[in-house]
Amino acid sequence: MQLPLAKAPKPDGEKTKVAIFGGGIGGLTTAFEITEAPDWQDHFEVTIHQLGWRLGGKCATGRGPNDRIEEHGIHGFLGSYYNALPLMKRVYDACDRPAGQPLATFEEAFKPENFVLMWEFRDGNWVKWPLTMPENSIKPGDPGELQTIETIYRDISKLLVHLFSKQLGEVADHGSPLAHIFSSALEEAADSILGHLAEGLWDEILAVLDKLRAYLSSHITDALLENNTIRRLYISVDFLLALMRGAIADDVVSKGFDPLDDVNFDVWLEKHGAHPLSVSSPLSLNTPNLSYQYPHGDTSRQPLMAAGTYLHWTLRSFAYMGSFAYLFEAGTGETMILPMYEALKKRGVKFEFFNKVTDLRMSADGASIAEVDIDIQATLKDPSKAYQPLFDTHPTWLNGKALPAWPAHPNYDQLVEGDRLQADNINLESYWTPWTSVGQRTMKAGQDFDIAIYAIPVATIPHLAPSVLAAPGKTGDRWRAMVEGIPTSQTQTMQLWFSKSRQEMGLDFGLKGHDTVIGATFAGPINGQVDFSSLIRWENFPQDQTPQCLWYFSGTMTDYTKDAPPPFTDHDYPRRSRDRVRYQCIQYLQATMGSLMPGATINAIDPPGDPMSLDFSLLVCTENDDLVGVARFDEQFWRANIDPNERYTQSPPGSTACRIKAWETGYDNLVFAGDWAYTGLNVGSVEGTVMSGRLAAHAVTNYPPLDEIPGFLPGSL
């Protein structure tokens, strides 16, 4: 593809019209980076076309009863989001909000988090494995120090020593000589690795790693591994050694990660000496769990994740900027999507809501996209004005100041069809909606757009680009291989508001600063949990019914069959899916809460009773506080993410070869943006989506340079 700025200027000072289809993270990032390019105003006119009434894609939020934040799932940034964190720093700088305004700065909006709660299954029970990661001095807006394999090895070497020294006393108290053995061996190995790194002596580092593994393995016994502290220390060291050894042995420094992607991560770990305990440990499973790598969303099956993408993601997670993670101060919509919208509007980017793509059609010669068909879902009462998508919330602690937020439904009063949409409770984001669009529009190349950005998830392509997908020849073959070779999964989420605090319900870790509980590798299928109690202050509950604790739970949801979900004419499918999530969540809470929060069970609250089931009387109900038992769940929030644009992109072995780079779509005016496109990271995530948007902008403007997109080029993280 020839980049537009390399072409001759358009006649009469005309600007290149960029039409971005999809207002999720990929589309928003593309627009932001295009408008970061030098002199972009002289060359480009950018418009984002969005289904429904809000932006954000899988990160979209709405506000429900009591202005409560309602998400698609659990969202936050790892400290290794080398593209997303600096992007958001630039976004907040571009907004230039006045001091005192809610979430005025990047530092106010993103809070450091270093505590992780993992779980081991031992002797028929879930056993907590708490871990606090060390902070470092690297600023989250500048990943420059963490973009190479060398820096990863430096940081992992230091982390190994840190993890051990934190628990050295516990091992010594066990009466084992392992404390001295581990300590001296790790420190000696770390010193050697750091020395060899400075000289680029990879073979020598490999020899140090193999010597350390052999030394430690010769001193470990099955009896010692029964001790929690010793076992976890051994797993941590063994797992990290396998990652480091494998990356050197398979020469990812020069070859990159892609050549490893034909095998599953567990096979690769075993190949490089990982102990079976390590391979099955929560430390190993965190990566596939957090990125939903279960075939068809079925957690009763082994997770499948390509070894290269697994290694890339996991190595990154141990080399972070400042803190292990950064959580959003408010909801995702307010903390991330709103400032992106605000900054883009300020720069002159246009937004067309209620625009649903229905087909992309090729030119006669098959070289470009000639037309894009769009359904108009609703029309404005005043067409001379742009749709205003936000509304103001007023958290009591802000003393009357407003926090703009995204509603859970359109602002009906602005729409001609508003009364009908509200009366029939129509969901314009659902592909199974019975709603008939009120108009159609065909956008023509050279007239309505010059460049099209397809920033909608890959699972939508069979439905929104059927003509291109069916095209004969090499390009059509490659698109079909992409759609068939990159699987996606349905997901589910629930949010629970409790009348008791986390500590009162049996989870008290003495956390410091902004730390909260981030849980992973717990019971499936809803195996992720986070304590988001800090968000309650942004909501507006009655004073005498203000929750004391708020937890989010999220995980995959198994497809009914390996085949596609029912046709979109089955308008009852969303209701059935929502009911299915409700029943599954209730069953999950009845079966697991005794392990997760032992002080929240029936037997703990009102004995005698079930020692594993949640006591549902703890759930806050503001509309009907007389509800009893599981009926109280009905006033919580839960969601089935079933639509093609909500499905999670997966990365099983073989899928990397099916990914297409932003500028290699086969059409000279079409660019891809999404975590399903080839990014170098190739994992479903906000980081991957931001990378894709930056790559899409590069395809359009030559900016940002590829060497400034960490993780894309081989040898870059």
Side-chain angles (χ1 to χ4, degrees):
M1 173 178 178
Q2 189 177 20
L3 302 177
L5 282 184
K7 296 180 180 179
K10 297 189 73 174
D12 301 322
E14 288 183 35
K15 296 181 181 180
T16 297
K17 295 179 180 179
V18 180
I20 299 175
F21 299 105
I25 303 299
L28 295 172
T29 301
T30 303
F32 187 81
E33 293 289 17
I34 288 174
T35 59
E36 288 273 274
D39 301 322
W40 76 271
Q41 300 96 327
D42 298 333
H43 299 279
F44 296 102
E45 178 182 299
V46 181
T47 303
I48 295 177
H49 299 265
Q50 172 61 33
L51 167 81
W53 68 94
R54 58 182 171 176
L55 303 172
K58 291 190 280 291
C59 288
T61 62
R63 291 295 185 121
N66 306 298
D67 279 348
R68 70 187 189 186
I69 299 165
E70 297 176 345
E71 302 264 9
H72 279 64
I74 295 172
H75 299 296
F77 285 3
L78 290 181
S80 53
Y81 277 21
Y82 304 152
N83 292 274
L85 279 164
L87 171 81
M88 291 311 301
K89 178 68 168 64
R90 289 185 285 126
V91 166
Y92 274 85
D93 289 346
C95 289
D96 193 23
R97 293 172 171 174
Q101 180 178 334
L103 307 179
T105 66
F106 171 85
E107 289 74 18
E108 292 175 29
F110 291 84
K111 298 302 182 182
E113 153 69 32
N114 293 293
F115 180 81
V116 179
L117 179 60
M118 298 183 293
W119 300 82
E120 287 185 289
F121 197 73
R122 302 285 299 175
D123 300 323
N125 295 297
W126 288 105
V127 181
K128 299 177 183 66
W129 181 346
L131 182 63
T132 299
M133 303 294 283
E135 293 184 345
N136 61 55
S137 60
I138 302 172
K139 301 296 184 184
D142 182 15
E145 294 184 50
L146 296 171
Q147 294 182 22
T148 65
I149 296 293
E150 290 88 346
T151 55
I152 288 287
Y153 278 67
R154 178 198 69 196
D155 282 26
I156 289 181
S157 298
K158 294 177 180 178
L159 180 63
L160 282 169
V161 176
H162 168 84
L163 289 175
F164 184 77
S165 63
K166 289 284 287 185
Q167 300 179 68
L168 178 61
E170 294 182 47
V171 179
D173 291 343
H174 182 68
S176 168
L178 202 64
H180 173 71
I181 292 169
F182 267 37
S183 181
S184 58
L186 283 174
E187 290 181 6
E188 180 182 344
D191 289 342
S192 296
I193 290 170
L194 294 173
H196 294 321
L197 277 174
E199 301 180 45
L201 302 175
W202 292 105
D203 288 342
E204 283 77 359
I205 294 175
L206 189 64
V208 170
L209 296 174
D210 287 342
K211 179 181 177 182
L212 177 61
R213 178 186 297 282
Y215 185 72
L216 297 179
S217 297
S218 68
H219 288 84
I220 203 75
T221 65
D222 290 343
L224 285 173
L225 290 175
E226 290 301 312
N227 176 270
N228 284 348
T229 301
I230 293 175
R231 182 180 63 258
R232 291 167 183 175
L233 281 172
Y234 179 74
I235 287 173
S236 300
V237 175
D238 181 74
F239 176 66
L240 291 172
L241 288 179
L243 295 179
M244 296 170 75
R245 185 196 189 285
I248 296 174
D250 289 334
D251 193 15
V252 300
V253 175
S254 60
K255 296 180 180 177
F257 297 93
D258 296 357
L260 311 182
D261 277 343
D262 287 338
V263 300
N264 205 36
F265 74 97
D266 63 315
V267 175
W268 184 87
L269 285 172
E270 291 168 356
K271 171 186 172 184
H272 292 289
H275 190 283
L277 267 178
S278 301
V279 177
S280 297
S281 73
L283 203 59
S284 164
L285 290 173
N286 272 337
T287 293
N289 277 358
L290 289 171
S291 54
Y292 298 155
Q293 303 292 337
Y294 290 91
H296 305 290
D298 186 354
T299 57
S300 70
R301 299 172 60 183
Q302 182 194 48
L304 297 178
M305 189 171 190
T309 58
Y310 176 93
L311 176 62
H312 192 170
W313 180 273
T314 309
L315 282 176
R316 265 189 178 215
S317 66
F318 291 110
Y320 43 82
M321 298 177 286
S323 291
F324 177 73
Y326 290 84
L327 297 185
F328 304 150
E329 171 65 14
T332 311
E334 294 81 42
T335 306
M336 187 176 185
I337 309 306
L338 175 60
M340 296 186 83
Y341 173 63
E342 183 181 321
L344 291 173
K345 280 191 67 179
K346 191 174 179 180
R347 292 178 173 185
V349 173
K350 299 175 183 178
F351 292 85
E352 296 285 349
F353 292 92
F354 309 108
N355 277 207
K356 181 180 180 180
V357 174
T358 58
D359 203 2
L360 277 63
R361 289 201 293 275
M362 299 174 295
S363 59
D365 62 3
S368 63
I369 299 300
E371 296 178 335
V372 179
D373 289 339
I374 288 179
D375 276 0
I376 307 300
Q377 298 177 295
T379 51
L380 295 172
K381 290 180 179 178
D382 186 350
S384 67
K385 296 180 180 178
Y387 177 71
Q388 302 302 311
L390 305 169
F391 80 108
D392 286 342
T393 65
H394 294 83
T396 55
W397 65 277
L398 280 177
N399 299 320
K401 293 180 182 178
L403 176 71
W406 303 90
H409 53 71
N411 288 326
Y412 298 118
D413 59 327
Q414 298 180 43
L415 304 176
V416 172
E417 301 81 13
D419 289 343
R420 279 197 294 144
L421 288 166
Q422 185 174 17
D424 294 341
N425 194 28
I426 295 296
N427 181 5
L428 292 177
E429 293 178 336
S430 173
Y431 281 57
W432 283 272
T433 180
W435 183 257
T436 301
S437 294
V438 298
Q440 285 78 38
R441 174 188 181 191
T442 296
M443 296 180 62
K444 298 183 180 297
Q447 176 180 320
D448 302 302
F449 70 93
D450 297 298
I451 299 173
I453 312 290
Y454 195 91
I456 315 174
V458 66
T460 66
I461 289 176
H463 312 293
L464 305 188
S467 298
V468 175
L469 189 61
K474 186 180 296 184
T475 296
D477 290 344
R478 192 161 186 208
W479 277 57
R480 286 185 288 274
M482 173 182 68
V483 170
E484 294 169 5
I486 305 175
T488 60
S489 170
Q490 296 179 338
T491 64
Q492 58 184 316
T493 191
M494 65 172 162
Q495 299 172 198
L496 306 178
W497 288 261
F498 294 97
S499 60
K500 289 184 179 293
S501 69
R502 166 174 53 80
Q503 292 84 351
E504 290 177 297
M505 293 188 292
L507 275 183
D508 187 2
F509 294 99
L511 303 180
K512 298 179 181 179
H514 296 287
D515 284 356
T516 186
V517 176
I518 297 178
T521 63
F522 192 58
I526 312 172
N527 50 23
Q529 329 88 37
V530 177
D531 177 4
F532 277 123
S533 299
S534 61
L535 299 182
I536 295 171
R537 70 190 195 123
W538 297 97
E539 303 172 336
N540 284 305
F541 284 84
Q543 187 172 0
D544 61 344
Q545 291 182 294
T546 300
Q548 301 303 302
C549 188
L550 168 59
W551 276 70
Y552 288 14
F553 298 78
S554 190
T556 58
M557 183 166 75
T558 309
D559 287 326
Y560 281 121
T561 68
K562 291 189 295 183
D563 302 323
F568 298 142
T569 52
D570 184 356
H571 304 312
D572 189 53
Y573 180 61
R575 181 199 62 79
R576 298 198 307 272
S577 298
R578 180 172 162 79
D579 284 350
R580 181 181 169 208
V581 172
R582 176 183 180 272
Y583 297 137
Q584 191 155 272
C585 287
I586 289 173
Q587 183 181 40
Y588 179 88
L589 294 171
Q590 289 176 318
T592 66
M593 290 301 284
S595 296
L596 181 64
M597 288 189 279
T601 66
I602 299 169
N603 200 54
I605 299 296
D606 188 21
D610 191 330
M612 289 303 293
S613 173
L614 171 68
D615 187 333
F616 287 83
S617 70
L618 294 173
L619 299 179
V620 173
C621 296
T622 59
E623 294 182 17
N624 186 359
D625 199 28
D626 293 330
L627 292 172
V628 177
V630 296
R632 296 182 72 84
F633 182 82
D634 291 345
E635 283 201 26
Q636 308 304 297
F637 176 74
W638 67 97
R639 182 182 177 92
N641 295 312
I642 58 174
D643 285 280
N645 58 329
E646 295 174 335
R647 296 177 66 97
Y648 205 96
T649 304
Q650 298 180 312
S651 307
S655 61
T656 297
C658 300
R659 292 174 178 260
I660 297 176
K661 292 177 182 176
W663 49 84
E664 293 182 352
T665 65
Y667 301 99
D668 61 16
N669 64 344
L670 181 67
V671 174
F672 284 155
D675 62 11
W676 47 275
Y678 182 89
T679 64
L681 183 62
N682 302 328
V683 178
S685 60
V686 171
E687 171 70 358
T689 311
V690 166
M691 290 178 70
S692 77
R694 303 193 75 203
L695 291 164
H698 173 85
V700 175
T701 68
N702 266 332
Y703 180 88
L706 293 181
D707 60 3
E708 293 183 12
I709 304 176
F712 176 70
L713 298 174
S716 164
L717 290 168

